[in-house]
């Protein structure tokens, strides 16, 4: 602001002398001189006040220009509104967001420049403000190219000199990029935690594999003793039965023979020896499966009759359980697969064993096993009427070391090993809840239509 000084007389006497001469009367002259001196003092004060006002006006204009330049340089948006939400002042940052000039923004309602879902919340923040308190909110504005990035807004109430609330001041900055960066960091952190858990699990599995490999190696010797002794025992049984059949002792001590049930024992020995041999074979298979935890060697495949394996697995699982669940079978005949019989048997034993555990608190426990052909694959379905599976469990049930059983009852490896076996056979295994309650496990394996060797030779 340029200030031009006005040329004025030095005093009121000079001013009056320029316009008129002094009166001739002496008394009148003295009176006028006194009045002129008083007026001159007042005039001098006015001149001084005017000079001070001009200086302060220049300082005020300079301060206003400084404040305007600071507001224009601030990257945060600034909007000043009245009590009705009309815009009184904006800075260039807000103009750049809206793409409108200051003249088009002033006097308009701030709500017109907010997206519809943010309008009510913003107006509420503006009307609820109290002195000395800043409220925070997140808003999106209608920008020139669509919708602005998310803005973190601070809203402060504005008051006049009487303390009456006359509007609000909004300041804010975009936080969309920061929020996206934080979300990306959070996702990366979760992925890192998951990778860390997997690394720990892999280390556990590696340690467990080394332990199991040593145990499996040590079990091979007693298993070989059992094999040899069972074969020898079978020979002794045959020799003893033949001796007793041909010996004259039969006629001499017939009463003693009946007392000790010698004939019944001889009749039971073949089935007992056969069961012992079958158990030894299964133990050998289990040892080989345990070695799979540390060694990935392809097993020898053979033709497997799924119905026979399923019934055997159900008998095995029932022997070790106190729950007398009703086990029903719905098996399509002639469903066979190429695979390792011991491994498939292990999968079915584990599924049926878990079904027994799930139904131990049910009044009328029921387990059903269905085997059929579906879409060119062999499908095995094991269902129970137990408590079912929680939703959070379904995503983790096939993970190693995850178990829903109490401490000491489960290792969390059964379903994981079953999952690995099924995958190695080119199949799939899924878990779900039955509509009427309980769990259902579905195993699908590649099918082969040729009859298995055991079926061709006769069912055992």
């Amino acid at each position: 602001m340029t200030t031009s000084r006005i040329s004025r007389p030095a005093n009121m006497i000079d001013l009056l002398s320029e316009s008129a001469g002094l009166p001739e009367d002496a008394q009148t002259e003295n009176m006028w001189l006194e009045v002129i001196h008083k007026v001159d003092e007042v005039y001098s004060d006015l001149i001084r006040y005017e000079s001070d006002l001009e200086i302060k006006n220049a300082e005020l204009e300079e301060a206003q220009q400084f404040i305007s330049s600071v507001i224009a340089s601030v990257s945060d948006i600034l909007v000043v509104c009245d009590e009705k939400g009309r815009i009184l002042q904006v800075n260039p940052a807000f103009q750049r967001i809206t793409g409108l000039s200051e003249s088009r923004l002033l006097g308009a309602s701030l709500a017109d420049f907010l997206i519809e879902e943010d309008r009510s919340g913003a107006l509420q923040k503006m009307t609820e403000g109290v002195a000395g308190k800043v409220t925070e909110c997140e808003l999106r504005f209608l920008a020139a190219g669509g919708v602005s990035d998310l803005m973190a807004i601070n809203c402060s109430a504005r008051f006049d000199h009487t303390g009456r609330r006359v509007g609000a001041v909004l300041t804010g900055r975009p936080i969309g990029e920061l929020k996206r960066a934080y979300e990306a960091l959070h996702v990366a952190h979760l992925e890192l935690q998951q990778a860390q858990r997997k690394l720990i699990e892999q280390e556990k599995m590696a340690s467990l594999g080394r332990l199991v490999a040593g145990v499996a190696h040590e079990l091979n010797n007693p298993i070989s003793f059992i094999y040899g002794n069972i074969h020898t025992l079978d020979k002794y049984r045959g020799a003893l039965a033949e001796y007793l059949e041909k010996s004259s002792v039969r006629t001499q001590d017939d009463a003693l023979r009946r007392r000790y049930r010698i004939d019944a024992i001889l009749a039971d020995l073949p089935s007992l020896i056969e069961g012992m041999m079958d158990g030894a074979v299964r133990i050998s298979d289990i040892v080989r499966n345990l070695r799979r935890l540390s060694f990935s060697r392809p097993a020898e495949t053979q033709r497997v009759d799924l119905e026979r394996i399923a019934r055997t697995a159900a008998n095995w699982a029932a022997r070790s359980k106190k729950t007398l669940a009703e086990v029903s079978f719905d098996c399509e005949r002639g469903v066979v697969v190429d695979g390792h019989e011991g491994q498939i048997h292990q999968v079915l034993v584990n599924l049926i064993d878990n079904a027994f555990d799930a139904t131990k608190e049910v009044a009328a426990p029921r387990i059903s096993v269905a085997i059929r052909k579906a879409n060119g694959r062999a499908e095995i379905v094991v269902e129970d009427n137990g408590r079912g599976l929680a939703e959070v469990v379904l995503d983790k049930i096939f993970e190693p070391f995850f178990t829903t059983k109490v401490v000491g009852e489960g290792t969390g490896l059964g379903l994981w090993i079953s999952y690995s076996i099924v995958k190695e056979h080119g199949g799939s295994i899924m878990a779900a809840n039955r509509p009427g309650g309980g769990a259902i496990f579905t195993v699908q394996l590649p099918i082969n239509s040729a009859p298995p060797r055991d079926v061709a030779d006769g069912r055992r």
Side-chain angles (χ1 to χ4, degrees), residues 208-250:
L208 181 62
R210 290 189 291 268
L211 174 63
V212 169
V215 173
H217 177 73
E218 294 299 326
L219 287 176
N220 279 330
N221 290 332
I223 290 174
S224 64
F225 298 156
I226 294 174
Y227 270 126
N229 291 339
I230 289 176
H231 285 292
T232 302
L233 181 61
D234 190 39
K235 293 179 181 179
Y236 289 169
R237 178 200 61 78
L240 183 59
E242 185 178 357
Y243 169 75
L244 292 176
E245 186 68 28
K246 296 179 179 180
S247 174
S248 60
V249 176
R250 180 181 180 91

Side-chain angles (χ1 to χ4, degrees), residues 310-329:
R311 292 183 181 274
T312 304
N315 291 333
W316 274 52
R319 290 173 187 172
S320 61
K321 299 297 178 181
K322 297 180 180 179
T323 304
L324 298 178
E326 177 187 350
V327 182
S328 61
F329 291 88

Side-chain angles (χ1 to χ4, degrees), residues 184-202:
L185 180 63
H186 180 64
V187 171
H189 179 64
L190 293 178
E191 291 176 351
L192 181 62
Q193 287 181 327
Q194 186 177 6
Q196 185 179 18
R197 285 195 298 269
K198 288 183 178 180
L199 186 62
I200 294 174
E201 290 173 357
Q202 290 174 359

Side-chain angles (χ1 to χ4, degrees), residues 33-325:
L33 288 175
E34 184 177 354
V35 171
I36 290 172
H37 280 296
K38 292 295 183 180
V39 173
D40 186 59
E41 292 177 2
V42 175
Y43 183 74
S44 298
D45 290 338
L46 290 174
I47 296 297
R48 187 173 66 254
Y49 293 156
E50 182 183 19
S51 178
D52 293 341
L53 184 61
E54 290 174 350
I55 294 173
K56 291 188 179 296
N57 187 37
E59 292 175 352
L60 181 61
E61 184 176 355
E62 183 179 353
Q64 185 177 4
Q65 291 177 351
F66 174 77
I67 293 173
S68 298
S69 64
V70 170
I71 293 175
S73 301
V74 172
S75 60
D76 294 358
I77 67 168
L78 182 137
V79 183
V80 181
C81 299
D82 62 11
E83 66 276 10
K84 294 183 179 180
R86 292 189 295 263
I87 298 175
L88 300 178
Q89 185 177 357
V90 295
N91 69 338
F94 186 74
Q95 297 177 41
R96 287 192 293 270
I97 289 179
T98 60
L100 301 175
S101 63
E102 184 177 10
S103 60
R104 294 187 60 183
L105 292 171
L106 297 183
S109 175
L110 179 63
D112 295 339
F113 302 99
L114 293 170
I115 62 175
E116 186 174 356
E117 52 266 30
D118 289 349
R119 290 176 184 174
S120 59
L123 294 177
Q124 183 179 2
K125 295 287 185 182
M126 293 171 60
T127 55
E128 289 180 351
V130 296
K133 183 178 179 180
V134 177
T135 57
E136 299 179 353
C137 60
E138 295 180 356
L139 303 176
R140 286 185 174 88
F141 295 92
L142 298 175
V147 179
S148 71
D149 208 348
L150 186 65
M151 309 285 287
I153 302 296
N154 292 331
C155 182
S156 304
R158 190 168 61 89
F159 300 88
D160 62 8
H161 65 284
T162 64
R164 185 176 66 88
R165 190 180 180 284
V166 294
V169 178
L170 285 76
T171 60
R173 63 181 56 186
I175 59 169
E177 189 66 30
L178 179 63
K179 197 168 185 177
R180 288 189 290 271
Y182 175 77
E183 291 175 353
L185 180 63
H186 180 64
V187 171
H189 179 64
L190 293 178
E191 291 176 351
L192 181 62
Q193 287 181 327
Q194 186 177 6
Q196 185 179 18
R197 285 195 298 269
K198 288 183 178 180
L199 186 62
I200 294 174
E201 290 173 357
Q202 290 174 359
E203 184 62 29
K204 287 181 180 179
M205 293 305 300
S207 300
L208 181 62
R210 290 189 291 268
L211 174 63
V212 169
V215 173
H217 177 73
E218 294 299 326
L219 287 176
N220 279 330
N221 290 332
I223 290 174
S224 64
F225 298 156
I226 294 174
Y227 270 126
N229 291 339
I230 289 176
H231 285 292
T232 302
L233 181 61
D234 190 39
K235 293 179 181 179
Y236 289 169
R237 178 200 61 78
L240 183 59
E242 185 178 357
Y243 169 75
L244 292 176
E245 186 68 28
K246 296 179 179 180
S247 174
S248 60
V249 176
R250 180 181 180 91
T251 59
Q252 296 175 359
D253 297 328
D254 195 48
L256 190 63
R257 186 184 184 102
R258 287 195 302 272
R259 178 182 177 184
Y260 289 104
R261 302 177 66 248
I262 299 300
D263 293 333
I265 292 174
L266 290 175
D268 286 344
L269 279 177
S271 61
L272 293 176
I273 292 175
E274 183 180 1
M276 292 171 61
M277 179 62 71
D278 187 50
V281 172
R282 298 304 182 197
I283 292 174
S284 179
D285 288 340
I286 291 172
V287 171
R288 285 197 296 270
N289 291 333
L290 288 176
R291 291 174 66 87
R292 294 174 62 254
L293 292 172
S294 55
F295 301 103
S296 179
R297 296 182 300 182
E300 180 182 354
T301 60
Q302 60 190 104
R303 310 297 294 281
V304 181
D305 178 11
L306 294 182
E307 181 182 0
R308 180 178 62 81
I309 293 297
R311 292 183 181 274
T312 304
N315 291 333
W316 274 52
R319 290 173 187 172
S320 61
K321 299 297 178 181
K322 297 180 180 179
T323 304
L324 298 178

Side-chain angles (χ1 to χ4, degrees), residues 82 97 209 299 324 341 348 422 428 445 447:
D82 62 11
I97 289 179
L324 298 178
E341 182 174 319
L348 292 175
V422 173
S428 64
L445 296 170
I447 198 168

